[in-house]
Amino acid sequence: MFATAARRSLSGLIPPKIATPGALSSGSTSARTQSVVDFYSKLPKGPIPASEQVGGVRGKFFEGKNASGKPLLATIFILFGIGYTIDYQMHLKHHKNGHH
């Protein structure tokens, strides 16, 4: 059951077989061959336009003309600060009833 559902969902992505004996012997172009030609003729050609490139944090900070590692460094320092604060607070709780 799962294989059939997966095959059905992927059937739009995978072009049909055109090199079958029936398709080749039916003349110069068959309906199946023409559908494949139509499919490939509608695909975009050339490089990806700038408007369709990666967006979000990755596109803003890690790719393009403004590429930098600032978000990565900020994340490291924030996690260090949170860990240090938690460790410091746990140490203060340890000293609540007296020193070492």
Side-chain angles (χ1 to χ4, degrees):
M1 177 85 177
F2 177 72
T4 306
R7 188 177 303 130
R8 232 180 303 135
S9 66
L10 294 175
S11 66
L13 298 175
I14 302 170
K17 294 180 182 178
I18 59 169
T20 59
L24 294 175
S25 65
S26 65
S28 61
T29 57
S30 65
R32 177 183 268 175
T33 307
Q34 189 60 37
S35 69
V36 173
V37 170
D38 290 339
F39 171 76
Y40 282 108
S41 66
K42 293 176 186 174
L43 292 176
K45 295 168 183 67
I48 299 173
S51 62
E52 294 181 20
Q53 290 189 2
V54 178
V57 174
R58 180 177 167 202
K60 186 174 181 181
F61 293 107
F62 294 111
E63 294 181 3
K65 60 183 178 182
N66 294 328
S68 73
K70 288 182 183 179
L72 184 63
L73 290 175
T75 303
I76 290 170
F77 284 122
I78 288 171
L79 289 174
F80 176 76
I82 290 171
Y84 184 79
T85 303
I86 291 172
D87 191 38
Y88 185 77
Q89 292 298 322
M90 293 298 155
H91 188 78
L92 287 178
K93 285 182 182 179
H94 171 72
H95 284 287
K96 184 169 65 174
N97 296 326
H99 293 287
H100 288 275

